[in-house]
Structures are given as C-alpha cells and as structure tokens.
Amino acid sequence: MPQTASTGAVELDLDPFSDETIHEREHFDTTVRETAPVVWLSRYGVWATGRHAEGEQVVTDWQSFTNTAGTGLLDTRKKENWRAPSPVLDADPPDHTKYRSVIASVLSPVMVRTLQEHFEERAAQMVDELVERREFDAAQDLAQAYPLAVVPEIVGMSPEGRENLLPYSELNFQAMGPRNERYRRAAERAQAAVDYAATAVLRENLDPDGIGMRIYAAADEGTVTEQEAALLVRTFVGAGVDTTMYSMGLTLHALMTNPDQWALLQSEPGRARNAYEEALRWATPGPLLGRTTATEVELGGVTLGAGQKVLVCVNAANHDPRRWEDPDRFDITRRANGHLTFGKGVHACVGQMLARAEVTAVLSAFVRRVKSVELVGEPVKLDSNWLRGWEHLPVRVTPH
Amino acid sequence: MFRLRSADGNVIELEPEHGESVMDTAVRAGVDGIVGECGGSASCGTCHVFVPEEHLARLDPPEFAEEQTLGYTAVPRTDASRLACQVPAADVDGAVLDLPERQY
C-alpha cells in the first residue's frame, strides 16, 4: 500500500518504470520537472524532483536525504535486498568517510593519470581493429567491449569468468527499480554471476599489481576489515563497468546524430573531454538517483515526511531550463560541469575521473581515425530499470 | 563579493548566491581558471585556489578528502592552497583569491 502524500503536494500518476518511459524519457522527465518543483508519484509512493536546484539539494544534503536506505526505489532497510549493503554506497558519514577515502585514494587523479597511457594504447588497438572492419556494432564492440576489458585489467581480476561481470552488474542496476519483470529476468540470468562476483574480488584471486589489491592494503593496515575490502572491490566493479560503457555509447550516438558537433570535434579533437561531459548531461546514463528522508524536511516548498523515498530525476535536472541555456541542444563547447550525472558532494561518483579518462581515450582515438560514421541499421535501446544506453549501434565508418 | 585573479593578473569580481561555494560561483559565472570537473566533491582537484592568509585563518581546516586531493593538483599545493568547492563564498567575502596557471 503506497503511503499518501502530504496535503498540498502535487500527485502524478506517471510510471518511471513503464516501457514507454524507459524507452523514451522525455515525456516523463518534462512532466515531472515542469509540473512542480517536487511531485508525488502515487504508484510507488515516492517523491520525485526533476529540477536542478532541488535535485542538487537532495544529493548534496546527505544529513536530510540519507543513502542508508539504499540509492534505488526501494527502502532496503524495510525489504531484504538481493545483496549485502555496500559500505560506501548504502552509508553516510561518519561510517561512509573511511570507506570512501579508501576507494578515493586508489582512484585519485594521480592514479588515473598513471593509467592514462594504458587507456590510450588499448583504445587505439581496439579502434584500429574496428576501423579495419569498417562495419561493426559501436555499442557492443566498442562502448561495451572497452570498459569490460580495461576495468577488470586495472583491478587485477583474472580473465576467467569475466563473462559474468555484465549479468552481475545488470542485476545490480535492475534491482534499483521495482521488482518487475526486468528485475526477475536479470535475477535469473545472474544466478551464477552473483557467486562469481563474491569470489572474483577475494584477495587470493586478484593480481598483486592491480587496484583491487590496493584496497586490500587498507585491510592490511587495519583501516577496513578483510570482508569490507572485498565489498569495496565488488562495489567498484559493479558500479564502474555498465555506467561507463553506456555513457560511452550514448556519447558516440550523440555525435552521430549531431553532425555539426561531430564536425567540430573532427576539426578540434582536443574537445573530446568536454564532448563527453556534455554527453553526460545531455543523455544521462543514470536517469534516476534515490535517497530517503532522514527526518521531516522541506524541499521545493513541500514538507516531506520522515522515511520517505525521493527520486532525483537526473536527466530531467540536466535539461532544466532554469539552469541550462537551450538545454535540449547538444553542444560540445558548452560548460557542462555542474550536471548531476555523477551526483555531488560526499556521495558523488568516486570513479568519475576514471570514467572520464576511459571515455576520453576512446573518443580521442575514434575521432582521430574515423573521418565519418553513419548508422547502418536500427539502434536498439537498453531495457533497464535504472540505466539508459544503447544495446546495439550498427555503424559503418570511413577512415581518414 | 570576492575576486579571482588569474595567473596573468586579470581580476574578476564575483557575487555569490546564498550558500554557494567559491567553485559554484565561479562555474556559474563561467570563469575559465576554475574547472570543477567533479561538481564539488573534492575529488578532481580542478578548482585549486590560493587563499590570502588572513582569510585562510578564518576557514575551517580541510577535511580528509580535500587534504587528499590537494596532493594531486596540477600546480603543486602551497600553504595557501584550498579547493574552491570546499570554501564557502561567504567566508572569503572581500578577498582576492589567486588562481593557479592550470587546473589539469
């Protein structure tokens, strides 16, 4: 039985998880954003905001909007979740601080800079091979293949069983939504993968030179326990692959469908990093972020009761005309920082510098080798409760 | 109100909105010398600023995350270094903050 909204709140009977919304967000995002600063989604008994200012408030004010009930639709304190809570995702300061710093130190800008060369080499190899073929699936063969190859490499995971990574993280993200058919299918597919994820991240299965072992170094120093170190490696692998690959596919698609921006990037490849930033804003790979009110709290002129879920509609906020000029235009020269795609504040995505490094490496390699790229078939969208992206992008390229 | 001075000496005056950080104000105004790539979570080190001593003394000391990230800035940190995303604009009212030559 959904809870009811407080008096005076605007209710909407929209479904963020319907096939229509999942495959075409615009109607949902625009309605939520333009109806009121905060709306009550009566079907699920949750609050939602599609505005940048309110969204930023929710993700920044962790005292009022807690992560401890999970960052999805469901309150994981009330309902048993499919996995143990992550010490960093599903927690707030002070507990969260220690775990976040452990991950932050291994994903620091300096660490990421040391990986840059490796990323560029791998990107060049992969793009060269694909350009040879002329026709390929830019989603499967590049956007998905690249993070699936490099993330386990840098973590130091064995190549064996890597085919389980995708079903594992797919379940991770499907489970952020309701217990619908998408969730059930993902849960079935991921049965073996859950066991894989639990063992692949154990110390004895990691390469001593990888990032994963640096997290275990924190266990050796006594900062975290052995079990917590395993959960942190699992969180990193679960959160860092799908998100990056779908954002890469969305970026490539944005460039293909905006030829003026592709031409601009062709003449100035140095804009690759900002092109990615703008794509993160314009076509947000993670359109929803969930928080839970810790106490009664005011948001956008409405008083929210304690213990209620709030969904930040990130893609809607990233297109909020109150914050962005001409928000629906994809413009790689735009100053796009300030989008909420990675969140903000203490819970901001800790792997965001890694994602930028990976995607910039691929994009730079791609734009330097490919003169033109065209779709040669119908692209297929991802069917996910919590992520947006392309499952298939059949393309033909013409090299320089 | 506070001012930012670029490495080549250009000074720009900025008017913060309530509750903003120095980074927020600078990004909103489109100041070139502040990137703020991570959006204010002290994790990218691209909003590095130098704060004059009298104002520095009034600020809360850097928390762990900021302290960590200040170790990775493109222009090495000095005693005056802070991340602008962690500095409330209201706490540097009237100050002139210096920008490093680069943020990457």
Side-chain angles (χ1 to χ4, degrees):
Chain A
M1 211 15 213
Q3 305 167 57
T4 49
S6 50
T7 37
V10 180
E11 290 195 32
L12 285 180
D13 184 33
L14 285 179
D15 186 352
F17 306 103
S18 69
D19 287 347
E20 292 73 25
T21 304
I22 298 267
H23 296 289
E24 197 54 70
R25 297 209 62 79
E26 201 185 342
H27 173 67
F28 174 84
D29 283 345
T30 309
T31 312
V32 167
R33 185 183 64 229
E34 300 308 325
T35 301
V38 179
V39 297
W40 178 258
L41 298 179
S42 48
R43 281 188 203 208
Y44 295 96
V46 298
W47 296 100
T49 178
R51 297 206 184 165
H52 190 275
E54 281 76 13
E56 191 171 41
Q57 183 188 337
V58 172
V59 295
T60 312
D61 180 4
W62 56 267
Q63 284 103 331
S64 307
F65 300 95
T66 177
N67 271 37
T68 56
T71 56
L73 171 75
L74 306 173
D75 187 329
T76 52
R77 293 175 300 195
K78 290 182 189 154
K79 199 170 182 323
E80 200 181 331
N81 201 16
W82 68 280
R83 62 160 170 80
S86 157
V88 68
L89 269 180
D90 309 316
D92 288 326
D95 298 345
H96 164 269
T97 311
K98 164 171 86 175
Y99 303 114
R100 183 182 171 100
S101 349
V102 170
I103 299 202
S105 64
V106 304
L107 295 178
S108 71
V110 163
M111 266 303 303
V112 171
R113 251 173 254 160
T114 66
L115 298 169
Q116 190 72 39
E117 210 174 309
H118 176 65
F119 286 157
E120 284 167 10
E121 263 170 42
R122 298 289 271 124
Q125 274 170 9
M126 209 173 264
V127 171
D128 281 344
E129 281 170 28
L130 292 172
V131 169
E132 280 296 303
R133 281 164 51 185
R134 295 294 189 272
E135 283 194 21
F136 55 93
D137 185 335
Q140 297 278 328
D141 304 336
L142 183 59
Q144 300 196 14
Y146 184 84
L148 268 174
V150 301
V151 172
E153 268 169 22
I154 62 167
V155 171
M157 294 170 78
S158 150
E160 219 165 292
R162 266 186 208 175
E163 66 281 2
N164 287 304
L165 264 181
L166 215 47
Y168 174 78
S169 50
E170 194 210 339
L171 174 59
N172 196 29
F173 287 105
Q174 296 287 18
M176 305 284 270
R179 294 295 175 256
N180 54 12
E181 200 44 42
R182 285 186 205 97
Y183 168 76
R184 280 186 286 276
R185 280 198 307 264
E188 261 168 47
R189 275 197 294 267
Q191 266 172 0
V194 173
D195 294 335
Y196 160 80
T199 53
V201 299
L202 295 176
R203 182 194 288 265
E204 58 268 32
N205 297 326
L206 295 175
D207 187 309
D209 297 329
I211 278 182
M213 278 310 281
R214 289 179 199 229
I215 294 178
Y216 277 98
D220 295 335
E221 288 160 14
T223 315
V224 300
T225 66
E226 185 76 13
Q227 200 192 358
E228 287 165 346
L231 286 176
L232 289 174
V233 180
R234 189 203 67 187
T235 299
F236 173 51
V237 175
V241 176
D242 289 41
T243 46
T244 310
M245 64 191 205
Y246 293 124
S247 71
M248 196 182 304
L250 287 163
T251 307
L252 291 168
H253 181 262
L255 287 164
M256 284 179 227
T257 49
N258 289 273
D260 60 326
Q261 300 300 300
W262 168 260
L264 179 56
L265 188 57
Q266 274 288 315
S267 56
E268 298 173 47
R271 292 190 186 271
R273 196 172 179 100
N274 202 62
Y276 179 48
E277 206 67 43
E278 168 66 347
L280 286 165
R281 180 196 73 82
W282 188 71
T284 311
L288 299 172
L289 282 174
R291 296 289 188 267
T292 306
T293 54
T295 54
E296 196 177 88
V297 58
E298 179 137 335
L299 181 69
V302 181
T303 304
L304 319 190
Q308 295 183 325
K309 272 279 171 181
V310 184
L311 295 181
V312 177
C313 302
V314 180
N315 188 64
N318 286 347
H319 288 253
D320 186 350
R322 296 158 195 81
R323 170 64 176 78
W324 310 95
E325 209 178 303
D326 202 0
D328 297 333
R329 180 175 150 64
F330 177 66
D331 173 3
I332 66 168
T333 67
R334 181 198 297 273
R335 191 160 186 142
N337 302 104
H339 60 70
L340 297 180
T341 305
F342 289 125
K344 195 179 171 179
V346 299
H347 288 298
C349 172
V350 72
Q352 55 178 287
M353 301 307 280
L354 194 68
R356 287 191 181 95
E358 287 175 55
V359 180
T360 306
V362 171
L363 213 51
S364 301
F366 192 78
V367 78
R368 288 194 161 94
R369 282 164 181 77
V370 173
K371 188 166 70 180
S372 65
V373 50
E374 53 173 336
L375 282 165
V376 288
E378 199 55 42
V380 178
K381 281 181 179 171
L382 173 71
D383 185 45
S384 167
N385 282 329
W386 213 253
L387 291 180
R388 185 161 64 142
W390 294 102
E391 204 63 81
H392 297 287
L393 285 173
V395 299
R396 182 187 300 127
V397 299
T398 312
H400 276 294
Chain B
M1 185 277 295
F2 64 91
R3 293 189 179 87
L4 293 175
R5 182 164 51 212
S6 67
D8 52 18
N10 289 324
V11 177
I12 177 170
E13 187 172 309
L14 296 171
E15 203 58 61
E17 285 176 11
H18 180 71
E20 275 187 332
S21 70
V22 168
M23 185 279 284
D24 287 329
T25 311
V27 166
R28 192 168 45 75
V31 176
D32 277 339
I34 299 264
V35 184
E37 199 163 49
C38 75
S41 52
S43 47
C44 68
T46 62
C47 66
H48 185 195
V49 290
F50 302 104
V51 182
E53 210 176 334
E54 49 160 324
H55 287 89
L56 198 63
R58 280 184 238 156
L59 299 175
D60 288 335
E63 288 186 14
F64 186 75
E66 183 183 357
E67 196 56 61
Q68 251 186 341
T69 304
L70 279 170
Y72 323 126
T73 49
V75 169
R77 72 178 294 180
T78 68
D79 290 343
S81 291
R82 292 297 302 257
L83 294 182
C85 68
Q86 305 301 305
V87 176
D91 292 1
V92 289
D93 191 44
V96 181
L97 311 182
D98 281 298
L99 298 175
E101 250 172 66
R102 55 201 172 86
Q103 296 284 10
Y104 280 113

